[in-house]
Amino acid sequence: MSKTILIVDDSESIREVVSFTLENAGYSVLIGTDGDDALKFLDGRNIDLVITDLHMPNMNGIELIKAIRNMDEYKRVPILFLTTESQQDKKNEAKDAGATGWIIKPFVPSKLLAALNKVIR
Amino acid sequence: MDTFQRKFLEEATDLINTLEQSLLSLELDPNNSSIIDEIFRVMHSLKGGGGMFGFEKLSEFTHHLETVYDLVRKHKVAVNRELLDITLTSVDHLRNLLSTEVTPAILATNDILTQRIIKFSIEDHHQNTSILSHLELLDPEQDIPESFVTYNIRFEPHANIMHNGTNPLLLLDELSHLGLTLVNYMEHLPALENLEYQNNYSSWQIVLATNKPRESILDVFIFVEDDAHIVVEEIFPNSIFQFPDLVNKISENLGNNQLLETEKIKLLVAEYVKANAISQSLNSVQEVAEDASVVKQKLSSFSKESVISSIRVSSDKIDQLMNLVSELVTTQASLSLYVDKHNLHGLTQISENIENITRMLRDTAFTISLIPLEHLITRFKRLVRDLSNEFGKDISLITEGAETELDKTLIQSITEPMMHLLRNSIDHGIETVHERIAKGKPAQGKIYIKAFYSGSYVHIQVSDDGRGINPDFIKKRATEKGLIQSDVNLSQKEIYDLLFLPGFSTADVVTDVSGRGVGMDVVKRKIEEIRGSVDLHSDIDVGTTLTLKLPITLSIIDGLLVNLGSEQYIIPLSVVDKIYAATNNEIQNSFNNIITLDGKQFPFYNLHDEFESDGESPKKQEVVVVKFDEQKIGLAVDYVVGEIQAVLKPLGKHFRKQEFFSGATILGNGQIALVLDTSKVISEYTVMQMIE
């Protein structure tokens, strides 16, 4: 049964690159454009992994991660966030908020899938 | 594995037996030149056959042996005990190389033996050659083994590691892919009243032998650096797994919920090394040369491991295993159903465990019957080589993704179609050298075979950089043959589809190769028989690409179970695009079988009516939108039950004529569900539209 992954990013190109890679790898993909938008998907659905950007309008990634961790059914669902090499402090902030791991931008498909492999199977 | 390869395997096994016998006779009669000739001949046959049927390692290895025995034949190398020993060890190694899966252990043996054999031909030939120059003579990529290092890894996650969605078991799994491992599991549970069920109380110790750099070990734990105590320490500058006794010794000391300290392991290793006089730097050629007895010892332990690392099993047994696994999947489903229905709490845990084990068993069984495409490539290379000679064309075959694996029955089914596509490319696609030069193309034509995974499918592309297919020409030919009216307007894709119609052969000259009555229609049919599809893309003077899209496996599909009256059907999940809710009213009163869903219009079938199912459709129905090529079509069903893993069984011969179903499956409750072949449903619909 294919796993469902929620991708949250305000950049359309990133969303497309990530969803293309994941769909080709056999995952089902849901797409949210920002934190608020993503929360709609989390209601009553079975999501196996969330991948989110940190900088987004309305609700940013850190807030989204905190919000997800506050939901009972998503306490243990892995969350990966997208970040750049230079944002070391953000990395700690996101981990403290409850993120499982991260993917460094820019990335190639194999890097993305390798990161995924660490958190879902 | 194809028939040629199987033949070669049988033949090679005989040859190796002969070789062994001859070597033993030679030991008794070292100067008998007819025995030496026999040995040389056998080696030569093995080398030739190995190269042709995809046993490159075997071929390469025998080549080195052959070189030495050529020198023996010319009296430049003397037959002595040492030579016979190494050759007989090589005989055992040759048997290992014939097994379908060449393991890292076999490869390591291969490298060491190769060095020893090369040493014979060099040293005995030029007495004064120093060891150092051997090093220069060795091909650095092939002959020096990647050096293995054994590490002791401590992975002690903090209590809260699982709070942020980390699953430590996945990391252990990832680690085990780096090499060979021994795992020691420890847990430190607090008193029951202090136990926090979300917390982690486990830690692990892993002894890992890997040829990957240390960074790749640390990389496994990159997400949990701050959530766990991780220590990676080197314990041995080589793999300990080549010494089974040592591994046993270490295993004995693991367990009991106790960490085995790195120093302790090092001590065990040191004791073993001392007792067995093993040099630690086994990778160094120099040491190997200096201490032949050590190498021999090492080789014997190596081959011991090689023997058990891979066995050959007849494909009948694998088929039987697959059948049993299929049955098990069905039976397990009915168990789960029963437990759910009767709310049997005591059984729930057991049933879930069986479900997990069944899934793992199924996955493992599947990988057993997967074969890399590589097995076919040699045959293709041969075909391209022979045919391009025949046509006086200069063509090279380039393959990519040959390691892509497919079910063995699928490999058999695609061999003929693939050969046909290659023949087409060579015969019609690639131009003659003159034409190519006139067009300003490189004289050598190229054919690419590219294979890759895409979801649960494998794509195999056969492309050439030839003249391409002129759509006008196809249209003209189809008109002449009365397949289409001359005035119809067809899209490029529709024109190319004409190529797949029965009896469509465009070759200007019917050649020896192509005009065999096997047209593209047969290719398409064969591929569709295995639930695949064929797609053609062509640009004039740039080339033609044919893409075969094939399911990885035939016997199990992920499907969507839907209800129609009292019957259930399965729609393969791979074609499902979206599911919409629609009222019975909308479906019944649609105009021209078009329904508007979420602002988009879709043609649709009301399956309840089409299949003349019993009962009435409910007020609220669901429409499953399936996709095929570029088209989407809705299938209105009573309701969607859910996802199911269906074990596909072929329909009996009475149903062979029908085209809408690709098979049937037995559900957990014993009911039969037919599996829809949506591509057929869609093309049927398209035909209907065209008639209207």
Side-chain angles (χ1 to χ4, degrees):
Chain A
M1 205 172 295
S2 74
K3 302 252 180 201
T4 305
I5 300 178
L6 172 64
I7 303 167
V8 193
D9 199 311
D10 56 328
S11 145
E12 187 174 352
S13 59
I14 296 276
R15 288 200 302 261
E16 273 179 15
V17 154
V18 176
S19 64
F20 178 80
T21 311
L22 297 182
E23 277 173 0
N24 270 327
Y27 295 103
S28 306
V29 173
L30 296 170
I31 290 172
T33 52
D34 59 42
D36 275 339
D37 192 38
L39 285 177
K40 286 183 222 150
F41 286 101
L42 291 161
D43 211 11
R45 234 179 265 238
N46 240 342
I47 287 171
D48 300 293
L49 169 69
V50 179
I51 299 179
T52 178
D53 191 20
L54 291 184
H55 298 281
M56 291 180 295
N58 298 330
M59 180 189 262
N60 73 31
I62 305 278
E63 287 161 2
L64 175 66
I65 294 169
K66 285 182 184 157
I68 295 174
R69 285 289 178 246
N70 269 331
M71 301 166 81
D72 273 343
E73 64 270 44
Y74 287 108
K75 283 256 182 295
R76 309 259 300 262
V77 166
I79 305 175
L80 296 179
F81 59 92
L82 299 166
T83 178
T84 54
E85 200 66 71
S86 56
Q87 297 172 301
Q88 194 57 44
D89 49 334
K90 278 277 171 197
K91 214 188 242 177
N92 293 334
E93 201 185 329
K95 278 225 75 175
D96 290 342
T100 318
W102 58 88
I103 299 159
I104 294 183
K105 287 193 285 196
F107 52 81
V108 292
S110 60
K111 270 262 162 29
L112 174 62
L113 295 175
L116 238 64
N117 222 14
K118 290 187 197 293
V119 293
I120 55 171
R121 196 62 50 93
Chain B
M1 192 175 296
D2 63 32
T3 34
F4 295 125
Q5 248 180 346
R6 210 169 297 136
K7 259 256 129 65
F8 171 68
L9 269 182
E10 283 167 27
E11 200 179 287
T13 313
D14 286 346
L15 284 172
I16 293 172
N17 289 341
T18 315
L19 180 61
E20 192 167 26
Q21 275 168 17
S22 307
L23 285 168
L24 295 172
S25 322
L26 186 68
E27 188 157 36
L28 300 173
D29 190 0
N31 295 318
N32 188 328
S33 62
S34 67
I35 299 178
I36 295 170
D37 283 344
E38 169 77 3
I39 291 173
F40 185 79
R41 185 192 63 79
V42 170
M43 285 172 176
H44 193 76
S45 311
L46 277 173
K47 175 179 137 186
M52 231 171 71
F53 297 101
F55 295 88
E56 273 84 6
K57 277 276 168 213
L58 176 95
S59 172
E60 189 190 304
F61 183 75
T62 335
H63 166 78
H64 296 304
L65 277 178
E66 196 196 38
T67 313
V68 177
Y69 277 81
D70 192 26
L71 295 173
V72 172
R73 215 161 53 140
K74 291 172 180 156
H75 305 291
K76 288 186 178 156
V77 168
V79 176
N80 58 24
R81 181 67 195 274
E82 203 193 344
L83 176 66
L84 286 169
D85 280 352
I86 185 90
T87 323
L88 282 166
T89 318
S90 302
V91 166
D92 297 336
H93 176 59
L94 287 173
R95 293 203 174 100
N96 288 332
L97 285 178
L98 278 181
S99 62
T100 42
E101 201 189 337
V102 176
T103 60
I106 297 184
L107 285 181
T109 318
N110 194 61
D111 292 328
I112 298 211
L113 270 173
T114 307
Q115 285 168 20
R116 293 261 288 139
I117 294 160
I118 291 177
K119 192 179 134 248
F120 256 101
S121 51
I122 301 164
E123 208 167 49
D124 293 39
H125 198 187
H126 319 279
Q127 289 290 337
N128 298 325
T129 323
S130 76
I131 296 291
L132 267 180
S133 67
H134 294 168
L135 273 173
E136 287 156 17
L137 284 160
L138 295 169
D139 179 344
E141 279 195 5
Q142 289 182 353
D143 295 316
I144 298 179
E146 290 273 348
S147 63
F148 273 82
V149 175
T150 308
Y151 296 94
N152 181 30
I153 301 163
R154 280 163 61 185
F155 175 36
E156 293 159 4
H158 300 161
N160 62 1
I161 190 165
M162 294 189 294
H163 292 193
N164 64 0
T166 301
N167 180 351
L169 294 177
L170 291 180
L171 303 180
L172 291 177
D173 189 52
E174 192 177 339
L175 202 60
S176 72
H177 284 104
L178 293 178
L180 296 166
T181 54
L182 281 178
V183 179
N184 188 18
Y185 169 76
M186 290 151 281
E187 59 182 16
H188 307 285
L189 291 175
L192 193 58
E193 60 270 23
N194 296 331
L195 193 86
E196 190 66 57
Y197 77 99
Q198 285 185 330
N199 279 2
N200 167 65
Y201 300 106
S202 302
S203 62
W204 291 268
Q205 170 183 21
I206 304 102
V207 177
L208 167 77
T210 179
N211 55 356
K212 302 270 180 351
R214 192 190 177 94
E215 291 78 63
S216 46
I217 301 176
L218 296 173
D219 200 46
V220 169
F221 298 109
I222 187 157
F223 291 164
V224 295
E225 276 167 347
D226 303 332
D227 307 320
H229 179 56
I230 296 153
V231 185
V232 180
E233 288 167 311
E234 183 179 327
I235 46 176
F236 189 55
N238 209 302
S239 169
I240 57 156
F241 289 90
Q242 48 188 304
F243 311 116
D245 295 345
L246 176 58
V247 174
N248 286 340
K249 191 112 208 178
I250 295 174
S251 309
E252 280 167 20
N253 284 279
L254 297 175
N256 298 329
N257 225 4
Q258 286 285 317
L259 175 79
L260 183 58
E261 299 287 342
T262 302
E263 289 312 314
K264 276 246 181 76
I265 303 180
K266 278 188 169 168
L267 209 66
L268 287 172
V269 174
E271 275 171 17
Y272 182 84
V273 167
K274 203 172 158 207
N276 293 278
I278 293 164
S279 147
Q280 288 220 357
S281 35
L282 290 159
N283 284 323
S284 135
V285 177
Q286 195 153 359
E287 301 236 352
V288 170
E290 274 169 11
D291 199 345
S293 69
V294 171
V295 176
K296 239 176 264 168
Q297 214 163 15
K298 183 163 145 50
L299 285 176
S300 66
S301 54
F302 253 134
S303 23
K304 225 193 216 158
E305 201 192 340
S306 313
V307 171
I308 49 159
S309 63
S310 145
I311 54 163
R312 255 215 317 281
V313 181
S314 82
S315 52
D316 290 349
K317 282 189 185 165
I318 292 177
D319 289 343
Q320 202 182 347
L321 175 69
M322 295 303 291
N323 269 334
L324 289 173
V325 170
S326 303
E327 296 294 334
L328 184 64
V329 171
T330 315
T331 316
Q332 178 269 315
S334 67
L335 174 68
S336 303
L337 204 73
Y338 186 82
V339 172
D340 278 353
K341 196 169 157 192
H342 297 270
N343 226 351
L344 301 168
H345 289 303
L347 266 183
T348 312
Q349 184 62 40
I350 299 173
S351 161
E352 275 173 11
N353 279 345
I354 293 183
E355 189 175 336
N356 273 337
I357 295 167
T358 309
R359 194 177 310 133
M360 287 191 281
L361 179 66
R362 188 201 64 203
D363 290 349
T364 314
F366 272 144
T367 51
I368 291 176
S369 60
L370 293 181
I371 298 178
L373 198 63
E374 216 155 3
H375 288 250
L376 289 176
I377 300 292
T378 324
R379 245 176 106 184
F380 295 156
K381 281 197 172 139
R382 186 72 199 279
L383 180 87
V384 172
R385 193 190 145 275
D386 291 358
L387 283 185
S388 47
N389 279 345
E390 196 175 311
F391 286 107
K393 293 177 181 176
D394 184 6
I395 303 173
S396 76
L397 177 70
I398 298 157
T399 58
E400 198 181 306
E403 69 286 347
T404 310
E405 289 183 322
L406 273 173
D407 193 283
K408 67 182 170 58
T409 48
L410 279 168
I411 292 264
Q412 282 159 11
S413 311
I414 62 164
T415 312
E416 270 308 309
M418 290 277 291
M419 302 275 262
H420 185 74
L421 297 182
L422 286 173
R423 281 192 208 109
N424 267 344
S425 283
I426 299 164
D427 193 0
H428 309 308
I430 306 274
E431 309 92 331
T432 60
V433 175
H434 285 299
E435 275 178 74
R436 290 185 69 89
I437 291 171
K439 283 180 184 172
K441 288 184 176 182
Q444 188 182 54
K446 289 193 171 67
I447 296 179
Y448 299 87
I449 296 181
K450 189 176 162 194
F452 54 93
Y453 295 106
S454 172
S456 57
Y457 284 89
V458 168
H459 289 219
I460 303 177
Q461 287 181 333
V462 179
S463 50
D464 62 55
D465 65 347
R467 58 169 70 95
I469 304 172
N470 187 340
D472 296 336
F473 181 71
I474 302 173
K475 225 176 139 181
K476 192 169 141 244
R477 185 56 65 104
T479 320
E480 278 168 25
K481 299 223 166 195
L483 294 168
I484 51 164
Q485 301 286 326
S486 59
D487 55 349
V488 283
N489 255 335
L490 295 174
S491 71
Q492 180 132 338
K493 191 172 166 357
E494 285 167 323
I495 293 175
Y496 286 136
D497 282 345
L498 293 171
L499 284 170
F500 295 106
L501 289 176
F504 191 97
S505 171
T506 56
D508 277 333
V509 188
V510 176
T511 58
D512 204 24
V513 181
S514 310
R516 283 180 180 169
V518 188
M520 291 297 282
D521 58 315
V522 179
V523 171
K524 188 176 159 89
R525 206 182 62 225
K526 288 233 162 163
I527 297 299
E528 283 179 352
E529 270 171 16
I530 49 174
R531 294 210 314 275
S533 61
V534 189
D535 185 54
L536 186 145
H537 179 84
S538 189
D539 292 311
I540 295 173
D541 283 341
V542 177
T544 306
T545 303
L546 274 131
T547 308
L548 308 183
K549 188 180 170 197
L550 307 161
I552 292 175
T553 176
L554 284 177
S555 44
I556 294 203
I557 59 166
D558 280 318
L560 195 68
L561 190 66
V562 299
N563 239 50
L564 295 171
S566 61
E567 298 147 9
Q568 296 193 307
Y569 294 88
I570 289 169
I571 301 172
L573 210 55
S574 52
V575 302
V576 173
D577 188 51
K578 271 188 178 134
I579 304 171
Y580 295 95
T583 62
N584 179 256
N585 199 27
E586 281 176 285
I587 289 165
Q588 292 298 335
N589 301 324
S590 72
F591 176 68
N592 210 3
N593 269 26
I594 301 283
I595 193 167
T596 308
L597 300 165
D598 203 15
K600 281 180 229 155
Q601 291 198 319
F602 293 99
F604 79 104
Y605 268 134
N606 187 0
L607 291 185
H608 197 109
D609 292 349
E610 298 294 333
F611 294 162
E612 298 173 11
S613 308
D614 57 349
E616 290 284 312
S617 291
K619 283 227 159 46
K620 279 190 176 171
Q621 285 187 249
E622 275 165 302
V623 179
V624 180
V625 173
V626 296
K627 52 180 189 275
F628 179 64
D629 286 346
E630 304 303 303
Q631 308 177 57
K632 286 182 182 173
I633 185 169
L635 300 172
V637 299
D638 286 0
Y639 61 93
V640 171
V641 180
E643 282 180 41
I644 184 178
Q645 236 163 22
V647 181
L648 204 60
K649 302 267 181 190
L651 294 171
K653 61 179 172 192
H654 297 297
F655 300 101
R656 201 180 289 156
K657 283 275 166 60
Q658 67 71 36
E659 289 203 310
F660 280 1
F661 303 106
S662 50
T665 193
I666 301 168
L667 301 174
N669 59 8
Q671 207 181 342
I672 288 172
L674 292 171
V675 180
L676 276 168
D677 188 338
T678 46
S679 62
K680 294 279 167 52
V681 176
I682 290 175
S683 50
E684 178 78 3
Y685 183 87
T686 322
V687 171
M688 297 272 288
Q689 291 293 96
M690 277 163 120
I691 293 167
E692 278 167 17

